[in-house]
Amino acid sequence: MTLSPDLLDAVAAGSHHDPHAVLGLHHEGDHWVVRARRPLARSVTAVFRDGSRAPMEHVRAGIWEGSHAGEPSAYTVTATYDDGSSHTADEAYRFAPTIGELDLHLIGEGRHEELWQALGAHVRELDGTRGTAFTVWAPHARAVRVVGDFNSWDGQSHAMRSMGRSGVWELFAPGVTEGSTYKFEILTTSGAWIMKADPMARAAEVPPGTASVVTESAYRWSDDAWLTHRTKQTPLSAPMSIYELHLGSWRAGLGYRDAADPLIEYVTAQGFTHVEFLPLSEHPFGGSWGYQVSGYYAPTSRFGSPDDLRYLIDRLHQAGIGVVMDWVPGHFPKDSFALGRFDGQALYEHPDPRRGEHRDWGTYIFDYGRNEVRNFLVANALYWFDQFHVDGLRVDAVASMLYLDYSREAGEWEPNIHGGRENLEAIQFLQEVNATSYKRFPGIAMIAEESTSFPGVTAPTDHAGLGFGFKWNMGWMNDSLEYIKRDPMYRSHHEGELSFSFVYAFSENYILPISHDEVVHGKGSLIGRMPGDHWQKLANVRAYLAYMWGHPGKKLLFMGQEFGQMAEWSEQRSLDWWMLEQPAHAQLHAFVATMNATYREHAPLWARDSDGAAFTRLGAPEWNPNVIAFARRDWHGNTVVVVCNFAGNPINRLTLALPEPGAWHEILNSDAESFGGSGVGNLGMVHADADGIAHLTVPPLGVLWLHHRSPAHIPSPTRG
């Protein structure tokens, strides 16, 4: 067969969409023709597995051709050069496609739930040869090449073949193994070559490097007991006290493996049930805290390898600690090496800037209506559950995804097909990712950071809800922080800021967050918001946290607030651990540990968090605007009453109608001397008369937790 000069030139330059149609082994008439690209060679020979040889002649532009009369089999190509050297290598273009028709069909339909198995870079052994299968989706590309340290970043020898209308490109590269760095070099429709990191890379260079890295996992998990237990329980009816942390500044310098022992020891001692990591997906700019992701499938290499992260999560599970990770499907950065304009045109982002850009953040917005993009994100959520065993994903900035006019002025956004402001494609994506995640991984938690009154965020998708397991209660957070910063002298006039949340506390499944966002950008720290002298600030923090832990909803606290760090958080340095050397801050630290332990031990504080029938507001017969009191019940009739006094003076005799007569044990007093308080309390016990009336002493800037055990759970006295 005669090949045109233009075709040969394009193949030689690595700019043809199907180099395998020219290179490799091809049946022509009664023999086989073998072609290889070996520029600058003096002679080239194909050596087949049966020992036969096919000398090759130069055709054009470094492409050589020979004839083989025997049966087709594996072969290598030996090239000699003018300096007398020779080089023998396997031939990339002799291999069949490494991606199948079913994979391509599912990708096109947007239904490939294990997309990471089909696309990206995978070390494989094919026909006795070990190498890496590279696959990438780039439908607008005219040609795609793999460049890396294995070809001196010259991709002409590793041009990929187009898999047709799917937009997928594929190449098996013999000899490329784990640890190799690579990118894709893409020829755009405008004729420019651009170099991009692999969107499906499972590892990346340490920033500021931007290349993708071929990786294999050799990790063997040991958390079967944890995963089995997880499938049998529902997070909604279990205690959840989350310690949110930024791994790079919790204790600076620790990697994934180094952090395991100190983090487990610390979280266990403090009594938190879960840790939540700020995003650990690869990101180019550390100052974004991980919220501008460039590698959705690659754990950031700042702290080690993907298997190192697996080790950390495995160890946390073995210690009985759940793992939540922040996930950012709402936007991505415009860095030229990453997803933006991936194949020269808008691909992952929506092409209309009214829907495809966040001007405030300088980022792109995903095109949620495109099958392949939606699939990329849904599969990414499943990837973290499947490959890293995380127990939950906290989805960042959900409000920005739900509304087309989010942070936009009139004329800067386009209504949906019904004329409304809702992003219907984003809503469908969120419903799909939640439903699919819960279907495949029972017992996990999908958590929405959603700050509006959008209805049904945690309602099931078959009831037109978004299908999240939990929603951050941003209204509670804003109102309660506004209240607690006020001088106690004036708090009585603003009681509604603290109690309004009771009106809607059961409309969604809530998490109460005091997150990283509340201790940055000039907001200071939690203790820094408190009024008064240092003693009063610490008392206010203890009271606020005790109120928060008693309030319906799961809990989240950002690192450093558990010991009253005074300075605003910075990702550039470690927490101020030296503050624990100060007795007052060590006492606050001890209080949080005790509070967490008490919370976990008493089911009324968590078993029915979203059940309004298990909650009662208290106050009669003496309503006091400085006192917030309420009762929580579990399924067995056990009750905890929370009594909060946010005034600066003690209440020596508060008459309060408790839900049950009898003895009420004081299980927590935020004003205890051991916590740095003044020691005002009830000597461990409060008695309610037959009508439930009790007279309490309530400490200043203090909170009491009172526990009443159901008679059915009180053991009978022993008879001698």
Side-chain angles (χ1 to χ4, degrees), residues 311-586:
Y311 172 83
L312 173 58
I313 294 172
D314 196 3
R315 289 285 313 282
L316 286 163
H317 283 171
Q318 292 174 52
I321 300 167
V323 178
V324 178
M325 192 182 79
D326 277 15
W327 187 52
V328 193
H331 65 122
F332 60 93
K334 295 182 177 181
D335 296 70
S336 61
F337 74 90
L339 292 178
R341 305 296 192 261
F342 182 74
D343 56 6
Q345 300 181 37
L347 185 64
Y348 287 91
E349 66 273 36
H350 197 287
D352 187 335
R354 294 175 296 177
R355 293 195 179 192
E357 292 188 35
H358 272 307
R359 294 179 180 175
D360 289 352
W361 301 337
T363 54
Y364 287 129
I365 302 171
F366 285 102
D367 185 354
Y368 303 106
R370 185 160 191 166
N371 286 347
E372 297 91 343
V373 175
R374 188 186 69 251
N375 193 172
F376 173 82
L377 292 170
V378 172
N380 185 240
L382 303 178
Y383 173 77
W384 290 105
F385 290 123
D386 183 272
Q387 294 293 299
F388 289 88
H389 294 196
V390 300
D391 303 292
L393 293 175
R394 176 265 195 186
V395 184
D396 179 62
V398 170
S400 74
M401 302 167 65
L402 294 176
Y403 296 104
L404 297 168
D405 63 346
Y406 182 87
S407 192
R408 295 178 187 272
E409 301 296 332
E412 295 180 346
W413 61 282
E414 179 188 32
N416 62 35
I417 58 173
H418 304 298
R421 55 194 286 258
E422 296 79 15
N423 189 330
L424 302 180
E425 291 84 2
I427 291 170
Q428 292 172 351
F429 155 67
L430 291 170
Q431 291 174 324
E432 181 179 346
V433 72
N434 287 327
T436 308
S437 296
Y438 279 109
K439 176 189 71 176
R440 292 195 53 170
F441 302 98
I444 55 93
M446 294 294 288
I447 303 165
E449 185 215 9
E450 204 284 313
S451 56
T452 74
S453 57
F454 190 92
V457 172
T458 59
T461 55
D462 57 2
H463 286 66
L466 293 182
F468 282 97
F470 295 100
K471 170 181 173 173
W472 274 19
N473 194 334
M474 311 293 277
W476 168 87
M477 178 195 72
N478 291 325
D479 288 347
S480 63
L481 288 175
E482 187 69 21
Y483 175 90
I484 204 66
K485 75 179 185 181
R486 299 184 186 279
D487 189 307
M489 182 180 299
Y490 306 111
R491 285 174 176 168
S492 62
H493 302 292
H494 301 276
E495 181 266 348
E497 291 174 342
L498 213 58
S499 62
F500 178 65
S501 57
F502 298 143
V503 174
Y504 62 87
F506 311 103
S507 61
E508 302 274 8
N509 304 330
Y510 282 116
I511 290 176
L512 310 184
I514 299 299
S515 73
H516 63 280
D517 281 329
E518 304 316 307
V519 295
V520 292
H521 301 320
K523 297 177 183 177
S525 61
L526 181 61
I527 192 172
R529 294 171 182 253
M530 302 300 170
D533 60 25
H534 197 63
W535 186 94
Q536 292 169 326
K537 288 179 181 292
L538 287 163
N540 272 297
V541 171
R542 294 193 303 271
Y544 181 76
L545 293 177
Y547 154 77
M548 172 182 173
W549 256 247
H551 191 290
K554 309 308 181 185
K555 327 299 175 190
L556 178 141
L557 187 66
F558 185 61
M559 64 181 194
Q561 312 317 300
E562 75 277 12
F563 60 80
Q565 173 160 311
M566 301 293 293
E568 185 172 273
W569 170 60
S570 169
E571 82 283 352
Q572 297 180 351
R573 59 183 180 84
S574 291
L575 296 179
D576 294 334
W577 293 106
W578 56 268
M579 294 197 70
L580 285 172
E581 299 173 7
Q582 299 184 14
H585 288 267

Side-chain angles (χ1 to χ4, degrees), residues 91-246:
E91 178 59 23
Y93 297 97
R94 72 176 181 85
F95 295 94
T98 56
I99 186 168
E101 290 296 327
L102 179 58
D103 287 321
L104 295 174
H105 173 75
L106 292 173
I107 291 169
E109 291 289 316
R111 292 291 182 268
H112 203 308
E113 294 183 359
E114 295 186 354
L115 188 65
W116 65 91
Q117 303 282 20
L119 298 180
H122 297 272
V123 177
R124 295 178 181 173
E125 184 171 313
L126 299 181
D127 196 17
T129 297
R130 189 167 175 81
T132 296
F134 293 99
T135 322
V136 64
W137 178 61
H140 300 128
R142 290 168 50 186
V144 182
R145 307 189 296 215
V146 185
V147 296
D149 56 6
F150 46 87
N151 60 18
S152 300
W153 299 92
D154 180 355
Q156 293 181 85
S157 61
H158 286 86
M160 306 178 76
R161 75 175 129 205
S162 168
M163 299 302 294
R165 296 176 61 184
S166 67
V168 173
W169 299 74
E170 179 274 343
L171 179 72
F172 179 74
V176 178
T177 55
E178 183 178 16
S180 296
T181 55
Y182 70 99
K183 286 187 178 182
F184 294 115
E185 198 171 28
I186 297 171
L187 181 60
T188 70
T189 55
S190 67
W193 285 99
I194 57 176
M195 199 175 292
K196 293 285 189 173
D198 183 358
M200 299 294 301
R202 290 168 293 129
E205 283 188 306
V206 178
T210 58
S212 303
V213 178
V214 177
T215 185
E216 288 186 281
S217 176
Y219 193 77
R220 298 293 177 264
W221 290 88
S222 300
D223 62 349
D224 289 351
W226 172 272
L227 295 182
T228 299
H229 175 72
R230 189 179 76 182
T231 64
K232 298 177 180 179
Q233 59 94 34
T234 302
L236 185 61
S237 58
M240 183 178 285
S241 172
I242 304 169
Y243 185 62
E244 187 191 32
L245 70 145
H246 176 261

Side-chain angles (χ1 to χ4, degrees), residues 32-82:
W32 294 84
V33 172
V34 59
R35 299 188 191 93
R37 178 186 178 277
R38 293 296 187 273
L40 305 180
R42 186 177 65 189
S43 66
V44 179
T45 302
V47 181
F48 290 83
R49 184 171 290 172
D50 61 6
S52 62
R53 303 169 69 85
M56 305 171 75
E57 294 183 357
H58 184 255
V59 180
R60 181 181 175 89
I63 293 179
W64 297 70
E65 179 180 296
S67 179
H68 177 60
E71 291 297 320
S73 64
Y75 63 92
T76 59
V77 175
T78 299
T80 62
Y81 296 89
D82 288 338

Side-chain angles (χ1 to χ4, degrees), residues 228-305:
T228 299
H229 175 72
R230 189 179 76 182
T231 64
K232 298 177 180 179
Q233 59 94 34
T234 302
L236 185 61
S237 58
M240 183 178 285
S241 172
I242 304 169
Y243 185 62
E244 187 191 32
L245 70 145
H246 176 261
L247 188 58
S249 58
W250 182 68
R251 289 183 178 169
L254 295 182
Y256 296 127
R257 286 184 179 268
D258 300 331
D261 285 338
L263 185 58
I264 289 168
E265 180 182 0
Y266 186 80
V267 172
T268 300
Q270 281 291 287
F272 290 96
T273 64
H274 292 70
V275 295
E276 179 175 323
F277 293 109
L278 270 61
L280 293 177
S281 300
E282 194 58 85
H283 51 283
F285 176 48
S288 77
W289 313 328
Y291 289 99
Q292 294 196 7
V293 178
S294 57
Y296 278 80
Y297 288 79
T300 179
S301 54
R302 291 169 173 83
F303 310 120
S305 71

